[in-house]
Amino acid sequence: PYNIASPLLALLSDLEAPPRAMTVLVQAEVAERLAAAPGDPAWGALGARLSAGYSARIVRRVPAAHFRPRPRVESAVVRLEARSGAAAVPGAEFGRLLAALFSQRRKTLKHPLAAYLAGRVPPGAERGRALELLSQAGIDPQLRVEAVPVDVAVHAGRVVGHLVQHLPVRMRKPGVVLEEVAVPVHVGNHQLLVRHLVDVQQVRVARIGVDHH
C-alpha cells in the first residue's frame, strides 16, 4: 500500500548495508518529494533524508487509468541510486531532526532546531545551544529550512547526532522524571530498538517508537 512507502524507503536507506539502487512505484506526490531540490515547494524531510544517500529521478508517470480498480491518485516510477562516497549520517535521529526542522519549513533554522532540542538540553538553554551547534557546523542560523541544501542538512545531522548520542533524553515536569529507554527486540536476522518513555518514579511506560537496526 502507498501509505507505507515513505517509512519503508527511510528504513531501507538506514540499513547498515542499504540497497545500491531502488526502483519504486509510488504516489505521484511522494515521487515529487523524492525528486525535489532545495527551494522547491515539494522539498521536505523525506527528500532531504533520502538525498543524503541517493540521487532520485522520476522515470515515468503512471496514470490512474492503468490500474484496476482505478485509484483516486496518480502514480510515478522513481529511480534512486546510491551516491558515490556519500557520508554516513545518524539514521533514525537524522530523520527525527529533519521532521522537526521541516515542521517549520518557512522559519530560519535556529527556531525549529531550538524546539527540537527541548528535553535534550537543560530547560531555557535550547536557543543558545541551537545557535552554538549551528556555529560549530558553520551553518548560517538565518538560513530558511525550505532552502537547506542536502550537504548542509547532513552536516547538521552529524553535529546534532553527536550531541544526542552523548546526552540522555530527559524531560522533567513537576513530580515526573521521564527517561527514554531503548529495548532491543530480535526479529529474524534483524534487531528492532523499541523506544519507551519510562516514568522512573511511577514506573509507567509509554512506547514512543521503533527503530530498525
Side-chain angles (χ1 to χ4, degrees):
Y2 277 171
N3 62 356
I4 70 167
S6 297
L8 179 59
L9 288 172
L11 184 150
L12 290 172
S13 69
D14 288 343
L15 292 176
E16 185 175 344
R20 287 178 291 181
M22 294 184 278
T23 303
V24 294
L25 177 67
V26 294
Q27 187 174 334
E29 182 182 351
V30 174
E32 296 287 353
R33 294 177 190 169
L34 292 172
D40 291 346
W43 179 242
L46 177 63
R49 184 171 183 176
L50 271 292
S51 294
Y54 292 89
S55 59
R57 60 186 174 89
I58 296 176
V59 177
R60 64 169 297 180
R61 304 282 177 173
V62 183
H66 288 7
F67 295 85
R68 291 292 185 276
R70 181 170 180 154
R72 297 179 181 178
V73 298
E74 299 294 312
S75 304
V77 176
V78 178
R79 175 73 172 176
L80 297 108
E81 297 180 342
R83 297 180 184 275
S84 59
V89 295
E93 193 61 46
F94 184 52
R96 286 191 283 272
L97 170 63
L98 290 174
L101 294 181
F102 279 96
S103 68
Q104 303 181 54
R105 58 179 296 116
R106 296 190 182 279
K107 291 193 175 184
T108 55
L109 278 170
K110 61 185 179 183
H111 296 293
L113 180 55
Y116 169 81
L117 292 174
R120 292 174 167 85
V121 298
E126 297 90 351
R127 180 180 173 84
R129 197 71 175 100
L131 290 172
E132 181 183 342
L133 287 170
L134 291 171
S135 176
Q136 290 175 4
I139 299 172
D140 182 1
Q142 297 301 321
L143 182 64
R144 292 191 180 277
V145 174
E146 61 188 355
V148 172
V150 176
D151 58 338
V152 171
V154 171
H155 190 36
R158 286 200 212 96
V159 172
V160 175
H162 180 76
L163 166 71
V164 172
Q165 289 172 6
H166 292 83
L167 286 177
V169 176
R170 182 187 293 267
M171 287 175 284
R172 296 180 182 275
K173 296 180 180 180
V176 178
V177 178
L178 297 177
E179 286 281 1
E180 183 176 284
V181 178
V183 180
V185 177
H186 294 278
V187 179
N189 295 325
H190 301 284
Q191 176 178 292
L192 301 178
L193 287 182
V194 182
R195 296 180 295 112
H196 301 270
L197 281 181
V198 180
D199 182 336
V200 297
Q201 294 179 335
Q202 300 293 331
V203 198
R204 291 181 298 206
V205 179
R207 189 168 70 183
I208 61 173
V210 177
D211 296 336
H212 182 280
H213 291 270

